[in-house]
Amino acid sequence: QVQLVESGGGLVQPGGSLRLSCAASGFTLDYYAIGWFRQAPGKEREGVSCIMRSGGSINYADSVKGRFTISRDNAKNTVYLQMNNLKPEDTAVYHCAAIGRGCHRVEGFYDYWGQGTQVTVSS
């Protein structure tokens, strides 16, 4: 069964850090680019970052540049999103998704999706 499972979300104070994980089962991540998306309450889902099969990455959200870093460990079949200096506006449900081509900011091109993990940034 093909599955993506996110973990690592939680409640954190402004300025804090979290590392989200996206673990794949039922398929090998080596052949996919992986994107992170987020959806805040009352807002549309937006692309955050994407990592290509080669390991190169793209940030889609200007607001996270310099704060969020995406990485992958193919041996563990897992992709990570390191989030530093978190702000209240980062509060959202974060989803990872796999795409069997290059990175794309349009979510409709992605093949597999995880259920999401909640990130809440609040004092």
Side-chain angles (χ1 to χ4, degrees):
Q1 181 182 0
V2 171
Q3 199 172 13
L4 287 172
V5 179
E6 302 94 338
S7 61
L11 174 64
V12 64
Q13 292 186 344
S17 298
L18 286 173
R19 188 176 78 157
L20 305 184
S21 298
C22 171
S25 60
F27 70 106
T28 302
L29 279 183
D30 298 38
Y31 304 111
Y32 291 83
I34 304 297
W36 281 99
F37 293 77
R38 66 184 181 184
Q39 187 165 20
K43 295 187 177 181
E44 292 187 355
R45 190 155 58 186
E46 66 168 346
V48 176
S49 187
C50 184
I51 188 164
M52 294 174 278
R53 288 175 289 179
S54 64
S57 64
I58 303 171
N59 282 323
Y60 292 127
D62 289 339
S63 63
V64 308
K65 290 179 181 178
R67 299 190 297 122
F68 290 12
T69 303
I70 190 170
S71 62
R72 65 192 301 155
D73 186 339
N74 288 343
K76 295 183 178 180
N77 226 26
T78 301
V79 168
Y80 304 98
L81 186 67
Q82 178 67 43
M83 306 187 296
N84 298 328
N85 190 22
L86 283 160
K87 303 176 181 181
E89 52 264 42
D90 295 317
T91 295
V93 177
Y94 284 72
H95 298 264
C96 64
I99 181 170
R101 58 174 74 185
C103 287
H104 206 292
R105 67 166 62 238
V106 176
E107 58 185 83
F109 287 100
Y110 286 75
D111 301 300
Y112 308 119
W113 286 83
Q115 292 298 310
T117 185
Q118 176 70 47
V119 172
T120 302
V121 185
S122 175
S123 56

